């Protein structure tokens, strides 16, 4: 029965989120080292607020979040029941405490289960429950990307997980895979769950192209660095060059060079550069400059989706060359949930694939991730393509 | 003979640029009221530098610009013969004087003519001459957009041209024009002149759509304002709303409301709002919010190009909903001229059409203008579209 | 014996600091809501670092702080053994944890006691021990001023101490006290402990003046507000007016007006305005504007010190009109401790007196506190003076 | 007769201002390269506005400046007849043109003379006329300091005056001059003209001190540079060090080092460093660091004034160590003229002496110039002092 399956997935997802925070102290969970990276505690509260705001509240269930907390943990929904706390100030909240937030979570979880036990046939609520689960999975990944950033500013280089990482599996040499063009379908058929931005499914015209069978590796990106890639403006987009100069970029985020050689900060602490692993924490600008340096380019998202069935993927989010824009015929849903994806369709670039931090089963071939071109704190890398 | 025709157009274009500056004093020509708007004097010098940098210099003709001036009047070519002066500081140059710049122009013009009289068969030089002419036409429009901005900050509201503007021609009521979808060609065939970003010509798949026969008028936009359009976040893209709030936008740029009602600052000074005229000086964000308010959307650039033959246009640059990105198979030309268009293919939106400030014969159906989504000082407006 | 007395005071001071933090959680102790306000945890660590840097380290005692922590908890000593962590980033450190910092404190405290038991006659070390004790007392006050600020940004208005505050004692009406001028001694004789900036004692010439017997009260300051004080530029210093406008000041820091009337945020949470209590959390600019509005002025620090013996004081730090500058003949001590006070003798204003947050016995008549004129998060108020 | 003498000085001063601008084009006169440096044209208009605002307007003489221009050329008088144009935007005004401003000047000058011919006994107006003359003299110096800055940003290094500068006169070796302390009078007796901030004359107590007979020379300052003075934080005030690092100061303003050695930009263009000449264009921070490096200090303004009769001076404005604050008993005059000096008595340092750019007869022993400690575009240098 669908309700039961959903509630099972709901409960699993809630537990999974909490398990992710197990290695962290209350102090760790409060860190916000940049306006983009939210505290773990905020993620824990916000994902609970979501269920109350969009399911329990409209259904008249008594609120667990008081008015102030409803405001504090709304992320960006202008048309929700309250305004929202400024994003850069999320790390300035010691109250509610982590323990209180955990208790709030428990109560919300219980309320959700109780509500659906009583109203198992509320189709709109069920639809929102499924969105809420996927929403929480997105925040599971953000918990990891954000805590990595938030810990990495500490010069003592704390590890989120002090255990050694699993060894990078052996990796085949990348080669060009030919993909035939023509009319191709793009977007979700809508039978399984998808976000609104993956619809409507529509046809596009593609030309023949080639795409690399492997994402760019650290060793490959190191060659770009050693060839002066960060000092050659002809390789860069104009805005990318300005950003790289103003912030003095000389390597991807988290790369550090000292007498020991190159190291990278990771969830397992600072480790020697793993040359075989996919290059991570690239901005779109760096991915684009690298591709130009190789005489290649990034794939469009349509090319990526067309090629995806033949590729192994999921190690890093892969920057495409496509700006994030609505599919033909796209209409956001009415109400505040219409703000979920649609209002960000400007100044963002689509990433495809998934990463080591993406919850299993979360992403799919039609999934459209998006970030501004300068973002580097995600597990973002590059896969090359070229005209056939 | 092609050389003679080109030189005639060259000479005409040069004279035309100078004629545009006739109403301005040397003081006017030095104004730079924002980092985006260059002084008239700078435009006069830069368009001359272009011919020396890309034609006369490589051909070994003695330089008219010394090393310092070559640097001062390079706009943004990282791989040109010198670096370049910071854009926001262009208004800080009283030397060379306007008179000196005019003399430099004369010498460059003479050198160009002399060079082609001697070397009429240098195909690459001829190609660059044609680019240089179109480049100078682009700066003719920028001279007007920039001087409007630069004069408009003065509270005495000086007119570029004190004569009354011609009356707005009578205008038909806009209606929805149906356009059938299917495979459509996009881009230039390349027989007549075009910029590199208009190529390669390629096919795209379109769905049926409707497009307005007229651009949005001032009266129509005023209804948006009066309906609280600038205070309703649900109508806006997220970045647009943030911009509108941080800069306290309450109307398009140059609109002013006082006891006399709405007035707009124009090249003819401050005038009562002309309700019938197309709304101008909209950012993409405002155009997008307006379309959302109307239950419509902006056209993609492919839709616009498909519909263009059936439309009257050219009053305002029309924001499309398309991010500025390379056409499939696009490759920028080698060398510094490859920086002309390609490196800006990020964070910009395509505008189509042309404006009252565009030199006659400059624009064309395949022409891709582009500006950041917050830009408002261009003669930019909106035309609505919708799914069929 | 002096060593034993000092060690007793040392131990008392250390315990007192720790007691101040008892009401706070580890999360509270990590807050930094502005670049000026440090986290409680940082204060706890820094005051320990001080003893290691200036006493134990030079004496060869094994370091408790490793190299990274030595850098993290140096405040601003350019010539100390390491550089220092950027002040605005002090709140970004979840490691070391509060528990670790408390353990570090214990070890440092034990090491200090053990060292002086072994070397009771090291005069320079004893001198530094005394400075270190007074230094830690200064940070006791900062712990309170900073946590008030850091909690006050939270819209749930958390109290540092949930108990009700003691009632404000009844207060006499302020009157003008006449003080005769002539030659007066300023500064410390140096028999009891003082900071370097209180020396050398020297004579100044004063004119007759009057000084208020009471500091400005909340009720009095409210009249300034109600008379439009924040909207009348003629009352303000130029820089103060610019600051007040750019930050939209309409009342002292922590004053909030709503349907319930005026409330002020305090260590006991948000409370109704106590009209009788001294006005607190004034910047120098506000104190100066208030004085101008009253047709009076602030006292100079020499006037204040001359009048002090006849006044009750210690409720608020009182802004003088004196810029913080060296006394005639002042020489900072050699070495990094010379940076303690001297390098701040520019762009700061002297405050005299003491506050409810000052540890008992810490301040004295010659004590020179100093903050920039825009600072408002201290317990800072105003006492009026005037020419006789 | 006093009126005639004043009118003669008025006319002379007006002509002198205009003569200073003779070497400049209208384009030069519009430059504003920093918020602190006003365009020459603005100075020309503002000094005329002053007479209309404070003498002619109150007397009912028809206004020459319309409402907009009255606003544009008010500098900072909050309580004057209109608001004022933002200081950083003074360079954005091409209208009124330089020619129009010159015509406005003529009319104002004529109106002033006519008014006093008719009302020779208006004592308040005469007092204001004298202030206006001295005010205009101050702006004569600012015209030179500002145009030097405004031209110096141009990489072609234009000279205000292309003639070679007069050779620096031979200079004696500086030695320490002993000055006895005791009670000394400070401030103006008020018989001859002075600004309000020079009053009231009052006694201070000084200790014996020594003062250098010569200001610091370029050669001497060069030794500071070569000894690493800009890289040694222990020599600097805290705010000074922060400023020097954030703006990458490595020498005084206008010093440039290249293959030819050290050159300095001056009103005569870029010249080889003149080792014998007084070091100029120092901030207070640099003067203070230099003094610390020499084991000396800057004099207080009281010391400076006490020593002045025995010193040759007037080559550079000499930074004292005194913050700019009111003399005991100081009261600003009522009305907008009270804003002239009083509201700046915060965050500024007093300079004494005069410079090569000061109009002859303008400065005096009691004259208090003041600028923020980071200001470097004035002709500001240093003279050392020390305790006896």
């Amino acid at each position: 029965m669908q309700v039961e399956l959903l509630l099972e997935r709901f409960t699993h997802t809630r537990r999974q989120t909490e398990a992710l925070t197990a290695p962290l102290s209350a102090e760790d969970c409060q860190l916000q080292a940049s306006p983009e990276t939210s505290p773990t505690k905020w993620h824990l509260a916000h994902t609970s607020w979501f269920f109350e705001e969009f399911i329990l509240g409209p259904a008249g269930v008594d609120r667990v979040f008081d008015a102030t907390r409803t405001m504090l943990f709304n992320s960006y929904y202008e048309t929700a029941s309250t305004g929202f706390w400024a994003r850069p100030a999320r790390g300035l909240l010691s109250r509610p405490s982590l323990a209180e937030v955990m208790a709030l979570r428990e109560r919300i979880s219980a309320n959700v289960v109780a509500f659906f036990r009583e109203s198992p046939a509320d189709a709109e609520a069920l639809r929102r429950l499924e969105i809420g689960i996927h929403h929480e999975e997105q925040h599971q990944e953000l918990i990891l990307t954000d805590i990595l950033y938030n810990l990495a500013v500490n010069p003592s280089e704390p590890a989120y997980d002090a255990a050694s990482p699993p060894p990078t599996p052996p990796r085949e040499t990348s080669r060009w895979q030919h993909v035939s063009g023509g009319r191709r379908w793009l977007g979700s058929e809508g039978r399984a769950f998808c976000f609104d931005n993956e619809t409507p499914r529509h046809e596009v015209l593609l030309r023949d192209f080639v795409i690399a069978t492997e994402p760019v590796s650290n060793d490959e990106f190191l060659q770009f660095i050693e060839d002066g890639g960060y000092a050659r403006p002809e390789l860069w987009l104009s805005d990318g060059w300005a950003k790289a100069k103003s912030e003095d970029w000389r390597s991807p985020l988290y790369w550090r060079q000292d007498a020991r050689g190159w190291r990278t900060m990771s969830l397992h602490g600072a480790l020697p550069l793993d040359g075989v692993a996919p290059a991570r924490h690239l901005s779109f600008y760096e991915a684009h400059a690298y591709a130009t340096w190789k005489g290649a380019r990034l794939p469009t998202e349509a090319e990526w989706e067309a090629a995806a069935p033949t590729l192994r993927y999921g190690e890093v989010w892969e920057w495409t060359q496509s700006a994030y824009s609505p599919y033909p015929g796209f209409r956001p849903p009415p109400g505040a949930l219409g703000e979920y994806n649609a209002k960000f369709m400007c100044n963002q670039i689509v990433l495809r694939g998934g990463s080591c931090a993406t919850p299993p089963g979360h992403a799919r071939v039609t999934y459209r991730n998006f970030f501004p071109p300068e973002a580097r704190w995600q597990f973002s890398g590059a896969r090359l393509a070229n005209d056939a």
Side-chain angles (χ1 to χ4, degrees), chain A residues 201-370:
Chain A
R201 187 163 170 82
H202 62 286
E203 274 190 303
V204 292
L205 269 185
L206 293 186
R207 298 155 53 124
D208 294 359
F209 66 98
V210 294
I211 192 163
T213 55
E214 299 288 335
V216 176
S217 71
N218 283 328
D219 271 347
E220 288 166 337
F221 201 86
L222 189 55
Q223 292 174 41
F224 170 78
I225 296 174
E226 291 174 346
D227 194 40
Y230 282 91
R232 293 171 54 184
E234 71 273 18
L235 301 175
W236 292 71
L237 289 163
S238 181
D239 287 355
W241 181 248
K243 186 79 176 174
K245 289 305 103 183
S246 74
E247 305 207 346
D248 198 24
W249 290 354
R250 297 161 186 260
S251 66
L253 186 64
Y254 302 137
W255 288 40
R256 294 158 186 197
Q257 192 177 27
D258 60 19
R260 289 164 286 184
W262 284 102
R263 295 179 308 126
T264 56
M265 183 65 187
S266 79
L267 290 169
H268 300 278
L271 300 172
L273 184 74
D274 178 355
V276 173
R280 288 172 180 173
H281 303 298
L282 304 183
S283 64
F284 169 72
Y285 296 132
E286 287 158 302
H288 192 281
Y290 176 86
T292 303
W293 175 72
K294 292 292 280 189
R297 60 174 174 81
L298 301 177
T300 63
E301 63 170 326
E303 288 172 341
W304 193 97
E305 193 166 316
T310 72
L311 301 172
R312 180 171 66 82
Y313 66 85
E315 295 173 296
V316 284
W317 287 103
E318 300 172 12
W319 288 107
T320 71
Q321 73 167 38
S322 297
Y324 178 48
S325 56
Y327 282 169
F330 170 72
R331 290 270 159 159
L337 277 174
E339 296 186 49
Y340 197 112
N341 282 307
K343 74 180 181 182
F344 301 108
M345 289 178 170
C346 189
N347 301 325
Q348 314 257 359
I349 308 288
V350 173
L351 301 99
R352 293 300 195 102
S355 84
C356 56
T358 310
H362 176 71
R364 57 201 152 264
V365 167
T366 59
Y367 196 96
R368 306 175 81 196
N369 201 350
F370 54 90

Side-chain angles (χ1 to χ4, degrees), chain A residues 12-68:
Chain A
H12 171 76
T13 304
R14 299 286 285 175
R15 292 287 161 266
Q16 196 58 31
T17 304
E18 290 143 19
L20 280 177
T21 70
L24 300 173
S25 69
E27 290 154 291
D28 293 335
C29 288
Q30 189 169 288
L31 291 172
Q32 182 180 32
S34 90
E36 282 74 32
T37 62
S38 296
T40 309
K41 184 167 73 177
W42 187 90
H43 286 298
L44 289 164
H46 166 68
T47 48
S48 300
W49 165 89
F50 192 93
F51 290 106
E52 184 156 284
E53 178 69 24
F54 292 117
I55 298 174
L56 302 176
V61 178
D62 281 353
R63 291 243 175 203
V64 169
F65 285 72
D66 65 16
T68 298

Side-chain angles (χ1 to χ4, degrees), chain A residues 104-115:
Chain A
L104 291 170
R105 282 184 68 82
E106 281 305 311
R107 292 175 57 195
I108 294 283
S109 291
N111 284 0
V112 165
V113 172
F115 170 75

Side-chain angles (χ1 to χ4, degrees), chain A residues 113-130:
Chain A
V113 172
F115 170 75
F116 282 103
R117 288 276 145 72
E118 287 198 18
S119 312
D122 184 333
E124 175 62 15
L126 281 169
R127 195 180 71 79
R128 290 172 173 220
L129 175 60
E130 195 167 15

